Amino acid sequence: MDHLRMVDMEFYGYTGCLPEEKEKGQTFVVTVDMECIRIPGAMTDNLNHTVNYAELYERIKSFVTTSKGDLIENLAYEIGGIVLDYSDIPDRVSVTVSKPQAPVTGTFKTMETTISRDRRLEAGFVHNVVLALGSNMGDKEQYLKDAVRCLLETDHIKMVKAGGLYETEPVGYDDQPYFYNTVIDVMTDLEPEELLNLTQKIELDLHRVRTIKNGPRTIDIDILLYDDITMNTEHLIIPHPRMYERAFVLYPFKDIREYDGPVPDDKSVRYIGKFEV
């Protein structure tokens, strides 16, 4: 994930529960951490493809210095909205607001809150899903990229994070080329069966043909995890029943999620590099 940060911006404002806070005001320290999959300007070197710090600074300053609400929690929440409204580059923003002169009796450095806002959640993408992707036919890396592109173009999927790209020895049917595999962490507004239907459609669109069980394929998309649910239907089992038996799943999975369990070593796995979506 890429980050854009505006750290320790100091403003004089009037947010507070006490009348004297609204009358006399005090110093507020604001830090904004913007998170996205990729900052386009990092590759194009074009100011229009990133956040203009000067413009955003002025918008935050204008709000903080004129707001007369009660809570710094609300102040931070509203600043998050200003950031998300200003630019569509950040997917998520965390805002920390500190009151170093808070009217509290005692010794302290500051009183502060951190509020996070996620564009995907606020747009209705409320389900967190981990998907595994694999290909061992044709341009394998391109098939993986095409599959992710198809997922994102539906407007039902938002990317959170991608694991690395790995070359892996086939499992179950050995007489076939090695695979390229990765795992992606996404948000979606689809229910599990709807998501399964979508992934199967994308497999067909990318010319997946099921002739041999565990055989060669242009693309394979498996649902590993869906929120914290457990389900077992005729068509879908979650968590995926064999995910913890497969090194080609667990290696990229460890790139995006905490996992300290065993990893099978009966098949070779080679790290290729970062999977660029």
Side-chain angles (χ1 to χ4, degrees):
M1 301 295 287
D2 290 346
H3 290 261
L4 294 155
R5 296 186 178 95
M6 303 170 71
V7 180
D8 291 346
M9 299 176 285
E10 291 192 13
F11 307 112
Y12 202 84
Y14 300 88
T15 295
C17 294
L18 302 179
E20 56 266 31
E21 293 182 282
K22 289 180 168 48
E23 294 171 4
K24 297 180 180 179
Q26 62 190 295
T27 298
F28 293 84
V29 182
V30 178
T31 291
V32 173
D33 182 2
M34 295 163 276
E35 183 178 298
C36 59
I37 292 295
R38 185 71 64 239
I39 303 169
M43 294 165 283
T44 65
D45 199 28
N46 187 329
L47 179 60
N48 293 323
H49 298 158
T50 187
V51 171
N52 186 316
Y53 296 110
E55 288 184 358
L56 185 54
Y57 178 92
E58 290 300 326
R59 294 192 183 198
I60 295 172
K61 176 183 177 181
S62 176
F63 177 71
V64 176
T65 56
T66 58
S67 177
K68 290 195 174 184
D70 289 344
L71 302 178
I72 58 173
E73 290 84 354
N74 180 255
L75 190 68
Y77 179 85
E78 295 297 338
I79 293 171
I82 290 170
V83 173
L84 295 178
D85 289 341
Y86 170 73
S87 172
D88 61 2
I89 291 176
D91 293 314
R92 184 175 182 273
V93 59
S94 292
V95 180
T96 299
V97 176
S98 298
K99 290 175 69 172
Q101 299 153 3
V104 176
T105 302
T107 302
F108 60 93
K109 182 177 180 180
T110 190
M111 301 296 176
E112 69 180 26
T113 186
T114 298
I115 300 295
S116 296
R117 296 186 63 171
D118 192 309
R119 188 189 308 278
R120 298 156 300 198
L121 293 177
E122 295 184 14
F125 296 93
V126 296
H127 302 296
N128 187 211
V129 177
V130 178
L131 301 173
L133 298 94
S135 172
N136 74 335
M137 295 178 65
D139 189 336
K140 296 178 281 191
E141 184 174 359
Q142 189 59 52
Y143 272 119
L144 296 179
K145 291 181 178 181
D146 288 345
V148 174
R149 173 183 53 79
C150 290
L151 287 166
L152 299 180
E153 285 179 351
T154 65
D155 294 329
H156 292 287
I157 306 285
K158 295 293 183 183
M159 178 73 80
V160 176
K161 191 175 183 180
L165 180 65
Y166 293 81
E167 183 184 59
T168 67
E169 188 177 355
V171 174
Y173 178 73
D174 295 335
D175 188 19
Q176 60 177 317
Y178 276 37
F179 280 80
Y180 272 15
N181 291 95
T182 192
V183 166
I184 60 173
D185 192 347
V186 302
M187 301 296 295
T188 184
D189 60 354
L190 297 175
E191 295 301 311
E193 294 283 354
E194 294 175 319
L195 181 60
L196 176 64
N197 291 337
L198 172 62
T199 60
Q200 291 181 339
K201 179 182 183 302
I202 291 172
E203 288 179 345
L204 290 175
D205 289 344
L206 295 178
H207 313 297
R208 164 80 184 264
V209 179
R210 300 174 187 269
T211 55
I212 303 173
K213 184 177 180 180
N214 296 322
R217 69 214 78 166
T218 56
I219 192 67
D220 187 33
I221 308 172
D222 287 330
I223 302 171
L224 301 180
L225 301 173
Y226 183 103
D227 292 335
D228 295 323
I229 73 168
T230 298
M231 64 180 293
N232 188 339
T233 69
E234 180 182 357
H235 303 292
L236 183 60
I237 301 175
I238 299 174
H240 193 287
R242 293 175 297 281
M243 66 175 289
Y244 297 109
E245 302 170 6
R246 295 172 167 177
F248 66 81
V249 168
L250 293 176
Y251 273 92
F253 180 75
K254 292 196 301 178
D255 293 337
I256 65 170
R257 292 287 183 91
E258 292 290 333
Y259 176 74
D260 56 6
V263 178
D265 58 4
D266 58 322
K267 298 290 184 177
S268 68
V269 177
R270 182 172 69 91
Y271 177 69
I272 299 297
K274 190 173 183 179
F275 179 59
E276 298 288 352
V277 179

